[in-house]
Amino acid sequence: MNIFYYDIAVGLPLRQSFTYKSKVAIKKGTRVVVPFGKKSIVGIVVKKISNPNSLKGLKEIISIADNHTCFDKSIFNTILWASEYYHHPIGEVFFSFMPTLLRKKNDKIISSLSKASEYKLNAKDKRFELTKEQNANLSKLNKIEGFNPSLIYGVTGSGKTEIYLQLAEKFIKKNKSILVLVPEINLIPQLVKRFEDRFSGEIGIYHSRQTPNQRLKVWLKSKFGEIKIVIGTRSSVLMPLKNLGAIIIDEEHDHSYKQAEGFKFSGKDLAIKRAQLENIPIFLGSATPSLQTLKLVKEKKYKKFDLLRRVDGKKPPKLIPLDISDSTLLGGIAIQTMDIIEAAINRGEQVLIFINRRGFAPLYECDNCGWVASCSSCESNLVFHKSKNRLICHKCESVYAVNHNCPDCQSTELNTFGTGTERVEEVLKNTFKKVPIIRMDYDSTRLKGSIEAIYEKANESNEAILVGTQMLSKGHDFPKVTLCVILNADSGLLSPEMNGVEKIAQQLIQVSGRAGRNNNLAQVIIQTRYPNDKNLKQIKTGNYQLVADQCLKTNKALGIPPYSNVSILRATSPNPQSCIQFLEKVSELLDNKKNISITGPLPSIPLKIKGNSRNHLIIKSDTKTYLNRVLKFLTNEIQNWPETKKVKWAYDIDPYDMS
Ligand code: ADP
Ligand code: ZN
Ligand code: ZN
């Protein structure tokens, strides 16, 4: 009798896979049940082994879970690539891209559900006659075949979404499927609506706030060709869509494509890899593309398609820095700004106020002795949330009661300091008593349906004021907004972060894109104490390409990303000394490596989260492949160090910020 041997990856934080034997042949990417310790668990077949090193103690695969593979070839290979590129345990990478219900033992769950949806164009939907610019670009985009990344660089309102729809139409007509990624769950409903208006068939939705059952259904329907269009967040990048024609990445510059915890992958980079392996076109859209993408355009690796005019012919809003050095502020709003807001309200228009901080006030302190409320397990000040009458740690979400006596000096003179969305909302409610004030931030959008309710309210109202965090600045249409106010641009302009200018330019230009859809006179007021800042002067032209070109030049001169490759090695431990000792040892090990530069150990920001101290090394190199090799070497070395019993360590490959 034939015996086969397979390496199996299991969903545990283990870097290696395990060899098992089987009496039958099994395809790569299939789910199997294997004995593991005293339990039996689900694993994925990674490869066939012809001659195992040793046959001793090899256990047998208990059962094959499904009649179909879980991961087909290109997705399977994308996962192998990701595990290597991010130096992340293979099993965890596989399991990240399986619906939760497939991670548990269950038989024959991978099977078709219903019959295929039919995708016809809805007669009711107005398929616009394209503008000249849209037309010229679409006809070029339609000719693209095979792996060929394209940047659709289109200012807000230039009709990018219409281009996505017509591209999708082309693939659907060829009986292919299409995957559309957006950076945040909030952006899904609006886009799904446009696709549903256009196509008769089912539009699959996939994101982390769905129930396990909902996600499994969409996954299965994709796999068996029952749906052909899926719109989702980064976790849907490897949807098993049958006969995939193309991938669209909307708002490609957005940092939310990167997963911040656990398996720290970039959904965008994985999508690009998948497109490459499937040899299909990928379309990246943005009004403020990332430096990385623009660099690849310059190097002629990506093609760029410009949409520089709005379809409605309206001019982009003016960006106006407003010097507030000598102004009195009320909830962060200068008196002069308040007059401008009032004038807009009196004209029956809507105003959008952007502040990058949620809660009522970022500080709760004692006026007598200077004590500041801070989290007991993080190095982070507590934010006062008036609506909940609680102090909340934004790092670990711990909730504290509000004390009325200073714990240090017993004084009752405790006060809030600084401004968040709730305070702005309160000040506006007191100033404009009859005007709807709509707040949009993490706290006001947690309940299901709350985002839809916010849009509805904005849509129904005439004059109104929207107050929100960056959530407000992303991709949404608020057609009645004619004035945007940016309250604390200075924290971004003066940020010491890597690529801080790129970030604030994207943010300001994205916010300004929310204004003026219906008005030629729209304005964006940027409150600042540094009206002569040289970056601000460039940003205020509204010409993002200009700012980006400048950033690219600077970064090239400084040798920072995208002109170098960076990884962070972060160590966490309850004992601060352990982190530092571990990282020092790593640093010594890499000391003699050529073409690698090491900075650190540095204290991470914040230095402590949930009781764990955090430190990191910045590892930099000119070439990606070389850096990757060094990290592979490093991983092999440190795995066996006794120090790793005291610290947790992880890489952040291509980090968005280095703190
Ligand atoms: P973007 O995604 O670039 O911000 P959209 O595709 O959302 O732009 O287009 C902005 C608005 O213009 C939408 O309401 C859309 O329906 C409309 N639109 C798009 N293309 C055209 C066109 N060719 N003619 C008229 N209206 C259009
Ligand atoms: Zn005190
Ligand atoms: Zn905390």
Side-chain angles (χ1 to χ4, degrees):
M1 185 174 60
N2 261 342
I3 298 276
F4 304 87
Y5 301 97
Y6 295 101
D7 266 0
I8 308 291
V10 294
L12 297 166
L14 300 167
R15 289 183 182 274
Q16 81 270 40
S17 36
F18 299 86
T19 309
Y20 288 87
K21 59 185 175 189
S22 166
K23 292 195 187 85
V24 288
I26 316 173
K27 272 196 191 147
K28 278 199 289 192
T30 302
R31 286 196 317 144
V32 290
V33 179
V34 292
F36 196 85
K38 285 189 184 133
K39 288 194 220 148
S40 58
I41 59 174
V42 172
I44 299 291
V45 177
V46 181
K47 67 174 177 222
K48 189 171 177 218
I49 305 286
S50 326
N51 292 307
N53 290 337
S54 148
L55 293 176
K56 229 174 84 192
L58 281 194
K59 291 187 188 157
E60 188 166 342
I61 289 170
I62 297 171
S63 64
I64 301 171
D66 314 287
N67 299 329
H68 303 268
T69 62
C70 189
F71 298 100
D72 288 340
K73 192 169 161 201
S74 60
I75 294 177
F76 181 87
N77 287 336
T78 310
I79 289 179
L80 292 194
W81 173 84
S83 166
E84 290 252 316
Y85 184 75
Y86 293 104
H87 303 272
H88 199 83
I90 176 83
E92 285 196 335
V93 180
F94 272 116
F95 277 61
S96 304
F97 295 110
M98 278 156 81
T100 21
L101 292 177
L102 291 181
R103 300 175 198 173
K104 295 187 213 119
K105 274 187 293 178
N106 38 35
D107 267 354
K108 313 285 179 267
I109 205 169
I110 302 186
S111 59
S112 94
L113 289 179
S114 46
K115 66 181 208 328
S117 227
E118 238 196 287
Y119 293 82
K120 295 230 178 74
L121 291 187
N122 288 327
K124 277 205 316 283
D125 190 40
K126 50 175 191 283
R127 188 161 162 278
F128 297 105
E129 187 165 333
L130 296 181
T131 64
K132 252 199 201 145
E133 221 183 15
Q134 280 174 316
N135 225 335
N137 281 305
L138 184 66
S139 59
K140 285 187 219 150
L141 289 163
N142 268 332
K143 292 199 185 94
I144 294 175
E145 278 176 21
F147 175 62
N148 248 317
S150 317
L151 168 64
I152 304 176
Y153 176 24
V155 301
T156 338
S158 61
K160 287 188 291 300
T161 315
E162 183 60 32
I163 295 215
Y164 301 158
L165 285 162
Q166 299 207 16
L167 281 169
E169 188 186 319
K170 179 191 102 173
F171 288 102
I172 293 294
K173 277 189 180 147
K174 288 191 190 163
N175 212 15
K176 296 198 169 172
S177 59
I178 190 123
L179 174 64
V180 186
L181 298 188
V182 295
E184 277 189 19
I185 297 174
N186 299 340
L187 298 175
I188 292 179
Q190 187 165 305
L191 200 58
V192 166
K193 168 126 201 338
R194 302 263 309 253
F195 273 82
E196 279 176 350
D197 286 349
R198 182 67 43 98
F199 298 103
S200 63
E202 180 180 349
I203 310 294
I205 301 174
Y206 196 86
H207 60 75
S208 61
R209 258 190 249 156
Q210 288 170 305
T211 65
N213 242 323
Q214 283 175 320
R215 279 202 299 275
L216 178 66
K217 258 192 183 162
V218 177
W219 191 92
L220 289 172
K221 285 182 177 181
S222 306
K223 184 162 179 71
F224 292 96
E226 287 150 30
I227 49 178
K228 289 195 164 58
I229 301 177
V230 169
I231 300 179
T233 51
R234 59 176 185 248
S235 60
S236 57
V237 58
L238 298 186
M239 276 313 261
L241 280 157
K242 233 177 141 171
N243 203 6
L244 186 60
I247 305 177
I248 295 170
I249 312 264
D250 196 18
E251 311 290 349
E252 72 88 29
H253 64 279
D254 199 298
H255 290 187
S256 302
Y257 278 119
K258 181 84 184 270
Q259 179 143 302
E261 301 291 325
F263 172 37
K264 300 181 193 65
F265 70 99
S266 151
K268 176 172 70 171
D269 291 345
L270 236 61
I272 293 168
K273 193 67 201 180
R274 177 176 185 185
Q276 187 190 21
L277 291 173
E278 301 211 15
N279 195 25
I280 54 168
I282 179 162
F283 305 102
L284 309 164
S286 176
T288 56
S290 63
L291 295 183
Q292 175 68 32
T293 297
L294 289 172
K295 173 179 172 266
L296 291 164
V297 168
K298 277 189 196 299
E299 293 168 353
K300 306 230 173 344
K301 289 178 182 142
Y302 290 10
K303 282 212 183 77
K304 179 160 76 90
F305 299 85
D306 288 331
L307 290 158
L308 301 174
R309 265 173 287 267
R310 294 166 76 126
V311 284
D312 56 12
K314 304 251 159 75
K315 289 200 201 80
K318 272 209 173 74
L319 281 83
I320 307 164
L322 181 85
D323 188 354
I324 54 161
S325 330
D326 300 320
S327 307
T328 316
L329 302 183
L330 198 61
I333 305 172
I335 307 275
Q336 310 95 292
T337 310
M338 207 61 108
D339 291 342
I340 304 172
I341 296 175
E342 187 173 0
I345 294 297
N346 289 340
R347 290 194 299 270
E349 298 166 0
Q350 295 189 353
V351 179
L352 184 157
I353 300 192
F354 176 74
I355 172 160
N356 223 346
R357 201 185 283 134
R358 65 192 176 93
F360 187 82
L363 284 178
Y364 185 65
E365 55 184 28
C366 169
D367 286 347
N368 186 43
C369 76
W371 168 87
V372 175
S374 61
C375 179
S376 60
S377 48
C378 307
E379 187 152 289
S380 177
N381 292 330
L382 297 178
V383 178
F384 177 55
H385 284 245
K386 194 167 185 173
S387 56
K388 301 185 178 115
N389 191 29
R390 287 288 182 274
L391 295 162
I392 299 178
C393 171
H394 284 189
K395 295 296 168 206
C396 71
E397 294 299 317
S398 294
V399 179
Y400 297 77
V402 180
N403 27 4
H404 296 285
N405 290 88
C406 172
D408 283 0
C409 74
Q410 309 311 316
S411 159
T412 52
E413 288 170 54
L414 295 174
N415 263 313
T416 59
F417 190 78
T419 300
T421 44
E422 284 186 3
R423 194 197 290 269
V424 179
E425 179 189 26
E426 184 179 279
V427 165
L428 290 167
K429 277 189 170 153
N430 291 334
T431 315
F432 304 100
K433 295 216 163 63
K434 296 208 175 104
V435 179
I437 313 288
I438 307 163
R439 176 159 62 88
M440 181 165 174
D441 56 22
Y442 175 76
D443 305 292
S444 73
T445 53
R446 286 180 82 170
L447 293 179
K448 204 169 177 242
S450 50
I451 292 169
E452 287 82 353
I454 287 173
Y455 292 132
E456 209 175 301
K457 188 153 178 208
N459 248 333
E460 279 170 356
S461 312
N462 291 318
E463 64 275 12
I465 306 179
L466 294 136
V467 180
T469 56
Q470 74 263 25
M471 241 181 218
L472 264 186
S473 71
K474 291 190 181 181
H476 282 302
D477 279 2
F478 292 105
K480 294 179 193 165
V481 169
T482 60
L483 171 69
C484 288
V485 180
I486 290 144
L487 294 188
N488 58 349
D490 287 348
S491 61
L493 283 169
L494 304 179
S495 158
E497 246 178 276
M498 172 177 78
N499 294 330
V501 179
E502 175 195 3
K503 245 181 238 178
I504 184 75
Q506 286 169 342
Q507 211 165 59
L508 294 182
I509 291 170
Q510 288 289 343
V511 177
S512 72
R514 306 306 122 216
R517 296 239 172 188
N518 277 342
N519 190 311
N520 254 327
L521 302 167
Q523 288 186 341
V524 178
I525 307 274
I526 304 171
Q527 293 194 165
T528 177
R529 292 190 166 80
Y530 308 92
N532 295 316
D533 179 85
K534 72 174 198 317
N535 294 320
L536 183 55
K537 279 191 170 159
Q538 260 192 355
I539 295 170
K540 112 183 160 184
T541 63
N543 183 345
Y544 178 75
Q545 183 81 52
L546 199 74
V547 184
D549 282 341
Q550 184 59 47
C551 291
L552 282 172
K553 254 192 218 150
T554 313
N555 291 11
K556 193 170 185 179
L558 295 174
I560 56 175
Y563 289 96
S564 62
N565 300 284
V566 170
S567 290
I568 283 183
L569 173 62
R570 195 180 314 276
T572 58
S573 163
N575 178 353
Q577 235 22 57
S578 305
C579 292
I580 293 172
Q581 278 161 8
F582 168 74
L583 293 174
E584 272 170 353
K585 191 166 165 189
V586 170
S587 179
E588 263 167 44
L589 179 71
L590 297 182
D591 211 21
N592 57 358
K593 291 254 173 248
K594 283 195 207 106
N595 303 321
I596 286 279
S597 97
I598 309 270
T599 317
L602 301 169
S604 306
I605 301 176
L607 186 54
K608 210 170 115 191
I609 295 184
K610 295 184 190 169
N612 282 311
S613 285
R614 307 159 74 242
N615 289 83
H616 65 276
L617 284 185
I618 300 174
I619 309 175
K620 205 170 102 175
S621 167
D622 290 344
T623 66
K624 229 177 192 94
T625 22
Y626 181 65
L627 180 60
N628 210 324
R629 266 216 316 273
V630 170
L631 296 185
K632 197 166 182 177
F633 155 81
L634 186 62
T635 307
N636 280 334
E637 288 289 314
I638 55 189
Q639 272 187 87
N640 305 318
W641 288 0
E643 284 84 352
T644 54
K645 294 210 167 64
K646 292 191 211 145
V647 297
K648 276 203 178 128
W649 61 273
Y651 296 116
D652 186 353
I653 310 285
D654 307 327
Y656 273 125
D657 86 67
M658 299 214 267
S659 55

